[in-house]
Amino acid sequence: MITKDSVETAYCFFHQKHRIYQHSTLDWQKDDIEFAIGEYTDCMSAELYEKLSAGRHDFLRNHKTFFDDLSAAVNDLEDLLNCF
């Protein structure tokens, strides 16, 4: 079961990192954000990750698709928050 708390926590973390990543011009800062999000996905609710990733095992863990994945995750989490 996906809890409201797990959605809120993920949304806050992802939204903050998304905003920084989006406007950053520093490669090291973007790398740090990718690492932090990757670490977070290892510890977050497995059910929530599965819902966000739609079965993609590299979701939020692939450098080439990271920004698009993070943008989609923020949007999906926002939609989930509106369901509670």
Side-chain angles (χ1 to χ4, degrees):
M1 181 174 135
I2 298 172
T3 66
K4 182 179 180 184
D5 288 342
S6 67
V7 174
E8 287 176 339
T9 302
Y11 177 77
C12 289
F13 186 62
F14 287 4
H15 183 268
Q16 176 198 40
K17 298 304 180 195
H18 180 262
R19 299 284 292 172
I20 296 167
Y21 193 96
Q22 182 177 29
H23 298 288
S24 179
T25 59
L26 305 171
D27 288 337
W28 66 263
Q29 187 175 42
K30 289 182 174 186
D31 289 343
D32 285 354
I33 291 170
E34 289 182 36
F35 180 78
I37 295 288
E39 289 284 305
Y40 184 84
T41 62
D42 290 339
C43 301
M44 71 185 290
S45 159
E47 194 173 353
L48 179 56
Y49 180 77
E50 182 65 30
K51 183 166 186 63
L52 295 174
S53 69
R56 280 189 41 222
H57 297 291
D58 67 343
F59 185 73
L60 295 169
R61 298 175 179 148
N62 181 330
H63 176 73
K64 292 180 182 181
T65 61
F66 180 80
F67 183 72
D68 291 336
D69 290 350
L70 186 56
S71 298
V74 169
N75 289 333
D76 291 347
L77 288 164
E78 190 171 313
D79 290 344
L80 284 172
L81 282 174
N82 291 326
C83 293
F84 287 102

Coordinates of all heavy atoms in Angstrom, one line a residue:
M1 N 0.8 -1.2 0.0 CA 0.0 0.0 0.0 C 0.9 1.3 0.0 O 1.8 1.4 0.8 CB -0.9 0.0 1.3 CG -1.8 1.2 1.3 SD -2.9 0.9 2.7 CE -2.8 2.5 3.4
I2 N 0.5 2.2 -0.9 CA 1.3 3.4 -0.9 C 0.6 4.4 0.0 O -0.6 4.7 0.0 CB 1.3 4.0 -2.4 CG1 1.9 3.0 -3.3 CG2 1.9 5.4 -2.4 CD1 1.8 3.4 -4.8
T3 N 1.4 4.9 0.9 CA 0.9 5.9 1.9 C 1.0 7.3 1.5 O 1.9 7.6 0.7 CB 1.6 5.7 3.3 OG1 3.0 6.1 3.1 CG2 1.5 4.2 3.8
K4 N 0.2 8.1 2.1 CA 0.3 9.6 1.8 C 1.6 10.1 2.2 O 2.2 10.9 1.5 CB -0.8 10.3 2.5 CG -0.8 11.8 2.2 CD -2.0 12.5 2.9 CE -2.0 14.0 2.6 NZ -3.0 14.7 3.3
D5 N 2.1 9.7 3.4 CA 3.4 10.1 3.9 C 4.6 9.8 2.9 O 5.5 10.6 2.7 CB 3.8 9.5 5.2 CG 2.9 10.1 6.3 OD1 2.3 11.1 6.2 OD2 2.8 9.4 7.4
S6 N 4.5 8.6 2.3 CA 5.6 8.2 1.4 C 5.6 9.1 0.1 O 6.6 9.4 -0.5 CB 5.6 6.7 1.0 OG 4.4 6.4 0.3
V7 N 4.3 9.4 -0.3 CA 4.2 10.2 -1.5 C 4.7 11.7 -1.2 O 5.4 12.3 -2.0 CB 2.7 10.2 -2.0 CG1 2.5 11.2 -3.2 CG2 2.3 8.8 -2.5
E8 N 4.2 12.2 -0.1 CA 4.6 13.5 0.3 C 6.1 13.7 0.4 O 6.8 14.7 0.0 CB 4.0 14.0 1.6 CG 2.5 14.3 1.5 CD 1.8 14.6 2.8 OE1 2.4 14.2 3.9 OE2 0.8 15.2 2.8
T9 N 6.8 12.7 1.1 CA 8.2 12.7 1.3 C 9.0 12.7 0.0 O 9.9 13.5 -0.3 CB 8.7 11.6 2.2 OG1 8.0 11.7 3.4 CG2 10.1 11.6 2.4
A10 N 8.6 11.8 -0.9 CA 9.2 11.6 -2.2 C 9.0 12.9 -3.0 O 9.9 13.4 -3.7 CB 8.7 10.4 -3.0
Y11 N 7.8 13.4 -3.0 CA 7.5 14.6 -3.7 C 8.4 15.8 -3.3 O 8.9 16.5 -4.1 CB 6.0 15.0 -3.6 CG 5.7 16.3 -4.4 CD1 5.6 16.3 -5.7 CD2 5.5 17.5 -3.7 CE1 5.3 17.5 -6.4 CE2 5.3 18.7 -4.3 CZ 5.2 18.7 -5.7 OH 4.9 19.9 -6.3
C12 N 8.4 16.0 -2.0 CA 9.3 17.1 -1.5 C 10.7 17.0 -1.9 O 11.3 18.0 -2.4 CB 9.2 17.2 0.0 SG 7.6 17.8 0.6
F13 N 11.2 15.8 -1.8 CA 12.6 15.6 -2.1 C 12.9 15.7 -3.6 O 13.8 16.4 -4.0 CB 13.1 14.2 -1.6 CG 14.5 13.9 -1.8 CD1 15.5 14.6 -1.2 CD2 14.9 12.8 -2.6 CE1 16.9 14.4 -1.3 CE2 16.3 12.6 -2.8 CZ 17.2 13.3 -2.2
F14 N 12.1 15.1 -4.4 CA 12.2 15.1 -5.9 C 12.0 16.5 -6.4 O 12.7 17.0 -7.3 CB 11.3 14.1 -6.6 CG 11.6 12.7 -6.4 CD1 12.7 12.3 -5.6 CD2 10.9 11.7 -7.0 CE1 13.0 10.9 -5.5 CE2 11.2 10.4 -6.9 CZ 12.3 10.0 -6.2
H15 N 11.0 17.2 -5.9 CA 10.7 18.5 -6.4 C 11.8 19.5 -6.1 O 12.2 20.2 -7.0 CB 9.4 19.1 -5.7 CG 8.9 20.4 -6.2 ND1 9.3 21.6 -5.6 CD2 8.2 20.7 -7.3 CE1 8.8 22.6 -6.3 NE2 8.1 22.1 -7.3
Q16 N 12.4 19.4 -4.9 CA 13.5 20.3 -4.6 C 14.7 20.0 -5.5 O 15.3 20.9 -6.1 CB 13.9 20.1 -3.1 CG 15.1 20.9 -2.8 CD 15.8 20.4 -1.5 OE1 15.9 19.2 -1.3 NE2 16.3 21.4 -0.7
K17 N 15.0 18.7 -5.7 CA 16.2 18.4 -6.5 C 15.9 18.7 -8.0 O 16.8 19.1 -8.7 CB 16.5 16.9 -6.3 CG 16.9 16.5 -4.9 CD 18.1 17.3 -4.4 CE 18.4 16.9 -3.0 NZ 19.3 17.8 -2.3
H18 N 14.7 18.5 -8.4 CA 14.3 18.8 -9.8 C 14.6 20.3 -10.1 O 15.1 20.7 -11.1 CB 12.9 18.5 -10.0 CG 12.4 18.8 -11.4 ND1 11.7 19.9 -11.8 CD2 12.5 18.1 -12.6 CE1 11.4 19.9 -13.0 NE2 11.9 18.8 -13.6
R19 N 14.1 21.2 -9.2 CA 14.3 22.6 -9.4 C 15.8 23.0 -9.5 O 16.2 23.8 -10.3 CB 13.6 23.4 -8.3 CG 12.1 23.2 -8.2 CD 11.4 23.9 -9.2 NE 11.5 25.3 -8.9 CZ 11.1 26.3 -9.7 NH1 10.5 25.9 -10.8 NH2 11.2 27.5 -9.5
I20 N 16.6 22.4 -8.6 CA 18.0 22.7 -8.6 C 18.7 22.2 -9.9 O 19.4 22.9 -10.5 CB 18.7 22.2 -7.3 CG1 18.2 22.9 -6.1 CG2 20.2 22.3 -7.4 CD1 18.6 22.2 -4.8
Y21 N 18.4 21.0 -10.2 CA 18.9 20.3 -11.4 C 18.6 21.1 -12.6 O 19.4 21.3 -13.5 CB 18.4 18.9 -11.5 CG 19.1 18.0 -12.5 CD1 20.1 17.1 -12.0 CD2 18.8 18.0 -13.8 CE1 20.8 16.3 -12.9 CE2 19.5 17.2 -14.7 CZ 20.5 16.4 -14.3 OH 21.1 15.5 -15.2
Q22 N 17.4 21.5 -12.7 CA 16.8 22.2 -13.9 C 17.6 23.5 -14.2 O 17.9 23.9 -15.3 CB 15.4 22.5 -13.7 CG 14.7 23.2 -14.8 CD 13.2 23.4 -14.5 OE1 12.8 23.5 -13.3 NE2 12.4 23.4 -15.5
H23 N 18.0 24.2 -13.1 CA 18.7 25.5 -13.3 C 20.2 25.5 -13.1 O 20.9 26.5 -13.3 CB 18.1 26.5 -12.4 CG 16.6 26.7 -12.6 ND1 16.1 27.4 -13.7 CD2 15.5 26.3 -12.0 CE1 14.8 27.4 -13.7 NE2 14.4 26.8 -12.7
S24 N 20.7 24.3 -12.7 CA 22.2 24.2 -12.5 C 23.0 24.2 -13.7 O 22.6 23.7 -14.8 CB 22.5 22.9 -11.7 OG 23.9 22.9 -11.4
T25 N 24.1 24.9 -13.7 CA 25.1 24.9 -14.8 C 26.4 24.1 -14.4 O 27.3 24.1 -15.1 CB 25.5 26.3 -15.2 OG1 26.0 27.0 -14.0 CG2 24.3 27.0 -15.7
L26 N 26.3 23.5 -13.2 CA 27.5 22.8 -12.6 C 27.3 21.3 -12.8 O 26.4 20.7 -12.2 CB 27.7 23.1 -11.1 CG 27.7 24.6 -10.8 CD1 27.7 24.8 -9.3 CD2 29.0 25.2 -11.4
D27 N 28.2 20.7 -13.6 CA 28.1 19.2 -13.8 C 28.2 18.4 -12.5 O 27.5 17.5 -12.3 CB 29.2 18.8 -14.8 CG 28.9 19.2 -16.2 OD1 27.7 19.5 -16.5 OD2 29.8 19.3 -17.0
W28 N 29.1 18.9 -11.6 CA 29.3 18.1 -10.3 C 28.0 18.2 -9.5 O 27.7 17.2 -8.8 CB 30.5 18.6 -9.5 CG 30.4 20.1 -9.0 CD1 30.8 21.2 -9.6 CD2 29.7 20.5 -7.8 NE1 30.5 22.3 -8.9 CE2 29.8 21.9 -7.8 CE3 29.0 19.8 -6.8 CZ2 29.3 22.6 -6.7 CZ3 28.5 20.6 -5.8 CH2 28.6 22.0 -5.8
Q29 N 27.3 19.3 -9.6 CA 26.1 19.5 -8.8 C 25.0 18.5 -9.4 O 24.3 17.9 -8.6 CB 25.6 20.9 -8.8 CG 24.4 21.2 -7.9 CD 24.0 22.6 -7.9 OE1 24.0 23.3 -8.9 NE2 23.7 23.1 -6.7
K30 N 24.9 18.5 -10.7 CA 23.9 17.6 -11.3 C 24.3 16.1 -11.0 O 23.4 15.3 -10.7 CB 23.9 17.8 -12.8 CG 23.3 19.1 -13.2 CD 23.2 19.3 -14.7 CE 22.5 20.5 -15.1 NZ 22.3 20.6 -16.5
D31 N 25.6 15.8 -11.0 CA 26.0 14.4 -10.7 C 25.6 14.1 -9.2 O 25.1 13.0 -8.9 CB 27.5 14.2 -10.8 CG 27.9 14.2 -12.3 OD1 27.0 14.0 -13.2 OD2 29.1 14.4 -12.6
D32 N 25.8 15.0 -8.3 CA 25.4 14.8 -6.9 C 23.9 14.6 -6.8 O 23.5 13.7 -6.0 CB 25.8 16.0 -6.0 CG 27.3 16.1 -5.8 OD1 28.1 15.1 -6.1 OD2 27.8 17.1 -5.2
I33 N 23.1 15.3 -7.5 CA 21.7 15.1 -7.4 C 21.3 13.8 -8.0 O 20.5 13.1 -7.4 CB 21.0 16.3 -8.2 CG1 21.1 17.6 -7.4 CG2 19.5 16.0 -8.4 CD1 20.7 18.8 -8.2
E34 N 21.9 13.4 -9.1 CA 21.6 12.1 -9.7 C 21.9 11.0 -8.6 O 21.2 10.0 -8.5 CB 22.4 11.8 -11.0 CG 21.8 12.7 -12.1 CD 22.5 12.5 -13.4 OE1 22.9 11.3 -13.7 OE2 22.7 13.4 -14.2
F35 N 23.1 11.1 -8.0 CA 23.5 10.1 -7.0 C 22.5 10.1 -5.8 O 22.1 9.1 -5.4 CB 24.9 10.5 -6.5 CG 25.4 9.5 -5.4 CD1 25.8 8.3 -5.8 CD2 25.3 9.8 -4.1 CE1 26.3 7.4 -4.8 CE2 25.8 9.0 -3.1 CZ 26.2 7.7 -3.5
A36 N 22.1 11.3 -5.3 CA 21.2 11.4 -4.2 C 19.8 10.8 -4.5 O 19.2 10.0 -3.7 CB 21.0 12.8 -3.7
I37 N 19.3 11.1 -5.7 CA 18.0 10.5 -6.1 C 18.1 9.0 -6.3 O 17.3 8.2 -5.9 CB 17.5 11.2 -7.4 CG1 17.2 12.6 -7.2 CG2 16.3 10.4 -8.0 CD1 16.0 13.0 -6.4
G38 N 19.2 8.5 -6.9 CA 19.4 7.1 -7.0 C 19.5 6.4 -5.7 O 18.9 5.3 -5.5
E39 N 20.2 7.0 -4.7 CA 20.2 6.4 -3.4 C 18.8 6.4 -2.7 O 18.4 5.4 -2.1 CB 21.2 7.2 -2.5 CG 22.6 7.0 -2.8 CD 23.2 5.7 -2.3 OE1 23.0 5.4 -1.1 OE2 23.7 4.9 -3.2
Y40 N 18.1 7.4 -2.9 CA 16.7 7.5 -2.4 C 15.8 6.4 -3.0 O 15.1 5.8 -2.2 CB 16.1 8.9 -2.6 CG 14.8 9.1 -2.0 CD1 14.7 9.5 -0.7 CD2 13.6 8.9 -2.7 CE1 13.5 9.7 -0.1 CE2 12.4 9.0 -2.1 CZ 12.3 9.4 -0.8 OH 11.1 9.6 -0.2
T41 N 16.0 6.2 -4.3 CA 15.1 5.2 -4.9 C 15.4 3.8 -4.3 O 14.5 2.9 -4.3 CB 15.2 5.2 -6.4 OG1 16.6 4.8 -6.8 CG2 14.8 6.5 -7.0
D42 N 16.6 3.6 -3.9 CA 16.9 2.3 -3.3 C 16.2 2.1 -1.9 O 16.0 0.9 -1.5 CB 18.4 2.2 -3.0 CG 19.2 2.0 -4.3 OD1 18.6 1.6 -5.4 OD2 20.4 2.3 -4.3
C43 N 15.8 3.2 -1.3 CA 15.3 3.1 0.1 C 13.8 3.4 0.1 O 13.1 3.2 1.2 CB 16.0 4.0 1.0 SG 17.8 3.7 1.2
M44 N 13.2 4.0 -0.9 CA 11.9 4.4 -0.9 C 10.9 3.2 -1.0 O 11.3 2.1 -1.3 CB 11.6 5.4 -2.0 CG 11.6 4.8 -3.4 SD 11.4 6.1 -4.8 CE 9.7 6.6 -4.5
S45 N 9.7 3.5 -0.8 CA 8.6 2.4 -0.9 C 8.8 1.7 -2.3 O 8.7 2.4 -3.3 CB 7.2 3.1 -0.8 OG 6.2 2.3 -1.3
A46 N 8.9 0.4 -2.2 CA 9.1 -0.3 -3.5 C 7.8 -0.2 -4.3 O 7.9 -0.1 -5.5 CB 9.4 -1.8 -3.2
E47 N 6.7 -0.2 -3.7 CA 5.4 -0.1 -4.4 C 5.3 1.3 -5.1 O 4.9 1.4 -6.2 CB 4.3 -0.3 -3.4 CG 2.9 -0.5 -4.1 CD 1.9 -0.9 -3.1 OE1 2.2 -1.1 -1.9 OE2 0.7 -0.9 -3.5
L48 N 5.7 2.3 -4.4 CA 5.7 3.7 -5.0 C 6.7 3.8 -6.2 O 6.3 4.3 -7.2 CB 6.0 4.7 -4.0 CG 6.0 6.2 -4.4 CD1 4.7 6.6 -5.1 CD2 6.3 7.1 -3.3
Y49 N 7.9 3.2 -6.0 CA 8.9 3.2 -7.1 C 8.3 2.5 -8.3 O 8.5 2.9 -9.4 CB 10.2 2.7 -6.6 CG 11.2 2.7 -7.7 CD1 11.9 3.8 -8.1 CD2 11.5 1.5 -8.5 CE1 12.8 3.9 -9.1 CE2 12.4 1.5 -9.5 CZ 13.1 2.7 -9.8 OH 14.0 2.7 -10.9
E50 N 7.7 1.4 -8.1 CA 7.2 0.5 -9.1 C 6.1 1.3 -9.9 O 6.0 1.3 -11.1 CB 6.6 -0.8 -8.6 CG 6.0 -1.7 -9.7 CD 7.1 -2.2 -10.6 OE1 8.2 -2.4 -10.2 OE2 6.7 -2.5 -11.8
K51 N 5.2 2.0 -9.2 CA 4.2 2.8 -9.8 C 4.8 4.0 -10.7 O 4.4 4.2 -11.8 CB 3.3 3.4 -8.8 CG 2.1 4.2 -9.3 CD 1.1 4.4 -8.3 CE -0.2 5.1 -8.9 NZ -0.9 4.3 -9.9
L52 N 5.8 4.7 -10.1 CA 6.4 5.8 -10.8 C 7.2 5.3 -12.1 O 7.2 5.9 -13.1 CB 7.3 6.5 -9.9 CG 6.7 7.3 -8.7 CD1 7.8 7.9 -7.9 CD2 5.7 8.4 -9.2
S53 N 7.9 4.2 -11.9 CA 8.8 3.7 -13.0 C 8.1 2.9 -14.0 O 8.6 2.7 -15.1 CB 9.9 2.8 -12.4 OG 9.3 1.6 -11.9
A54 N 6.8 2.5 -13.8 CA 6.1 1.6 -14.7 C 6.9 0.4 -15.2 O 6.9 0.1 -16.4 CB 5.6 2.5 -15.9
G55 N 7.6 -0.1 -14.3 CA 8.4 -1.3 -14.6 C 9.8 -1.1 -15.1 O 10.5 -2.1 -15.4
R56 N 10.2 0.1 -15.4 CA 11.5 0.4 -15.9 C 12.5 0.4 -14.7 O 12.5 1.1 -13.8 CB 11.6 1.8 -16.5 CG 11.1 1.9 -17.9 CD 11.3 3.2 -18.5 NE 12.6 3.8 -18.3 CZ 12.9 5.0 -18.0 NH1 11.9 5.9 -18.0 NH2 14.1 5.5 -17.8
H57 N 13.4 -0.6 -14.8 CA 14.4 -0.8 -13.7 C 15.5 0.3 -13.6 O 16.1 0.5 -12.6 CB 15.1 -2.2 -13.8 CG 14.1 -3.3 -13.7 ND1 13.5 -3.6 -12.5 CD2 13.6 -4.2 -14.6 CE1 12.6 -4.6 -12.6 NE2 12.7 -4.9 -13.9
D58 N 15.7 1.0 -14.7 CA 16.7 2.1 -14.7 C 16.0 3.5 -14.5 O 16.7 4.5 -14.6 CB 17.5 2.1 -16.0 CG 16.7 2.4 -17.2 OD1 15.4 2.4 -17.2 OD2 17.3 2.7 -18.3
F59 N 14.8 3.5 -14.1 CA 14.1 4.8 -13.9 C 14.8 5.6 -12.8 O 15.0 5.1 -11.7 CB 12.6 4.5 -13.5 CG 11.8 5.7 -13.4 CD1 11.4 6.4 -14.5 CD2 11.4 6.2 -12.2 CE1 10.6 7.6 -14.4 CE2 10.6 7.3 -12.0 CZ 10.2 8.0 -13.2
L60 N 15.1 6.8 -13.1 CA 15.8 7.7 -12.2 C 17.3 7.2 -11.9 O 17.9 7.8 -11.0 CB 15.1 7.9 -10.9 CG 13.8 8.6 -11.0 CD1 13.0 8.6 -9.7 CD2 14.0 10.1 -11.4
R61 N 17.7 6.3 -12.6 CA 19.1 5.7 -12.4 C 19.9 5.7 -13.7 O 21.0 5.2 -13.7 CB 19.0 4.3 -11.9 CG 18.2 4.2 -10.5 CD 18.0 2.8 -10.1 NE 17.4 2.7 -8.8 CZ 16.5 1.8 -8.5 NH1 16.3 0.8 -9.3 NH2 16.0 1.8 -7.3
N62 N 19.4 6.3 -14.7 CA 20.1 6.4 -16.0 C 20.4 7.8 -16.3 O 19.5 8.7 -16.4 CB 19.2 5.8 -17.1 CG 19.9 5.7 -18.4 OD1 20.7 6.6 -18.8 ND2 19.5 4.8 -19.2
H63 N 21.7 8.1 -16.5 CA 22.2 9.5 -16.7 C 21.5 10.1 -17.9 O 21.1 11.3 -17.9 CB 23.7 9.5 -16.9 CG 24.2 10.9 -17.2 ND1 24.3 11.9 -16.3 CD2 24.7 11.4 -18.3 CE1 24.8 13.0 -16.8 NE2 25.1 12.7 -18.1
K64 N 21.3 9.3 -19.0 CA 20.8 9.9 -20.2 C 19.3 10.3 -20.1 O 18.9 11.2 -20.8 CB 21.0 8.8 -21.4 CG 22.4 8.6 -21.8 CD 22.5 7.6 -22.9 CE 24.0 7.4 -23.2 NZ 24.2 6.5 -24.3
T65 N 18.6 9.6 -19.3 CA 17.1 9.9 -19.2 C 16.8 10.5 -17.8 O 15.6 10.7 -17.6 CB 16.3 8.6 -19.4 OG1 16.6 7.7 -18.3 CG2 16.5 8.0 -20.7
F66 N 17.8 10.9 -17.0 CA 17.5 11.3 -15.7 C 16.6 12.5 -15.6 O 15.6 12.5 -14.8 CB 18.8 11.6 -14.9 CG 18.6 12.0 -13.5 CD1 18.3 11.1 -12.5 CD2 18.6 13.4 -13.2 CE1 18.0 11.5 -11.2 CE2 18.3 13.8 -11.9 CZ 18.1 12.9 -10.9
F67 N 16.8 13.6 -16.3 CA 16.0 14.8 -16.2 C 14.6 14.5 -16.6 O 13.6 14.9 -15.9 CB 16.6 15.9 -16.9 CG 15.8 17.2 -16.7 CD1 15.8 17.9 -15.5 CD2 15.0 17.7 -17.7 CE1 15.1 19.0 -15.3 CE2 14.2 18.8 -17.5 CZ 14.3 19.5 -16.3
D68 N 14.4 13.8 -17.7 CA 13.0 13.5 -18.1 C 12.3 12.6 -17.1 O 11.1 12.7 -16.8 CB 13.0 12.8 -19.5 CG 13.4 13.7 -20.6 OD1 13.2 15.0 -20.4 OD2 13.9 13.2 -21.6
D69 N 13.0 11.6 -16.5 CA 12.5 10.7 -15.5 C 12.1 11.5 -14.2 O 11.0 11.3 -13.7 CB 13.5 9.6 -15.1 CG 13.7 8.6 -16.2 OD1 13.0 8.6 -17.2 OD2 14.7 7.8 -16.0
L70 N 13.0 12.4 -13.8 CA 12.7 13.2 -12.6 C 11.5 14.1 -12.9 O 10.7 14.2 -12.0 CB 14.0 14.0 -12.2 CG 13.9 14.8 -10.9 CD1 13.5 13.9 -9.7 CD2 15.2 15.5 -10.7
S71 N 11.4 14.7 -14.0 CA 10.3 15.6 -14.4 C 9.0 14.7 -14.3 O 8.0 15.2 -13.7 CB 10.4 16.2 -15.7 OG 11.6 17.0 -15.8
A72 N 9.0 13.6 -14.9 CA 7.8 12.7 -14.9 C 7.4 12.3 -13.5 O 6.3 12.2 -13.1 CB 8.1 11.5 -15.8
A73 N 8.5 12.0 -12.6 CA 8.2 11.5 -11.3 C 7.6 12.7 -10.5 O 6.6 12.4 -9.7 CB 9.5 11.1 -10.6
V74 N 8.0 13.9 -10.6 CA 7.5 15.0 -9.9 C 6.0 15.2 -10.3 O 5.1 15.4 -9.5 CB 8.3 16.3 -10.1 CG1 7.6 17.5 -9.6 CG2 9.7 16.2 -9.5
N75 N 5.7 15.1 -11.6 CA 4.3 15.3 -12.1 C 3.4 14.1 -11.6 O 2.3 14.4 -11.1 CB 4.3 15.3 -13.6 CG 4.9 16.6 -14.2 OD1 4.8 17.6 -13.5 ND2 5.4 16.5 -15.4
D76 N 3.9 12.9 -11.6 CA 3.1 11.8 -11.1 C 2.9 11.9 -9.6 O 1.8 11.5 -9.2 CB 3.8 10.5 -11.5 CG 3.8 10.2 -13.0 OD1 3.1 10.9 -13.7 OD2 4.6 9.3 -13.4
L77 N 3.9 12.3 -8.9 CA 3.7 12.4 -7.4 C 2.7 13.5 -7.1 O 1.9 13.3 -6.2 CB 5.1 12.7 -6.8 CG 6.0 11.5 -6.7 CD1 7.4 11.9 -6.4 CD2 5.5 10.4 -5.7
E78 N 2.8 14.6 -7.8 CA 1.8 15.7 -7.6 C 0.4 15.2 -7.9 O -0.5 15.4 -7.1 CB 2.1 16.8 -8.5 CG 1.3 18.1 -8.2 CD 1.8 19.3 -9.0 OE1 3.1 19.5 -9.0 OE2 1.0 20.0 -9.5
D79 N 0.2 14.4 -9.0 CA -1.1 13.8 -9.2 C -1.5 12.8 -8.1 O -2.7 12.8 -7.7 CB -1.1 13.0 -10.6 CG -0.9 13.9 -11.8 OD1 -1.2 15.2 -11.7 OD2 -0.6 13.4 -12.9
L80 N -0.6 12.0 -7.6 CA -0.9 11.1 -6.5 C -1.3 11.9 -5.3 O -2.3 11.5 -4.6 CB 0.2 10.2 -6.2 CG 0.5 9.1 -7.1 CD1 1.8 8.4 -6.8 CD2 -0.6 8.1 -7.1
L81 N -0.7 13.0 -5.0 CA -1.0 13.8 -3.8 C -2.5 14.3 -3.9 O -3.2 14.4 -2.9 CB -0.1 15.0 -3.7 CG 1.3 14.7 -3.1 CD1 2.2 15.9 -3.1 CD2 1.1 14.2 -1.6
N82 N -2.9 14.6 -5.1 CA -4.3 15.1 -5.3 C -5.3 14.0 -5.1 O -6.5 14.4 -5.0 CB -4.4 15.8 -6.7 CG -3.6 17.0 -6.8 OD1 -3.5 17.8 -5.9 ND2 -3.1 17.3 -8.0
C83 N -4.9 12.8 -5.1 CA -5.8 11.7 -4.8 C -6.1 11.4 -3.4 O -7.0 10.7 -3.0 CB -5.3 10.4 -5.5 SG -5.2 10.5 -7.3
F84 N -5.3 12.0 -2.5 CA -5.4 11.7 -1.1 C -6.4 12.7 -0.4 O -6.6 13.8 -0.8 CB -4.1 11.8 -0.3 CG -3.2 10.6 -0.6 CD1 -2.2 10.7 -1.5 CD2 -3.5 9.4 0.1 CE1 -1.4 9.6 -1.7 CE2 -2.6 8.3 -0.2 CZ -1.6 8.4 -1.1

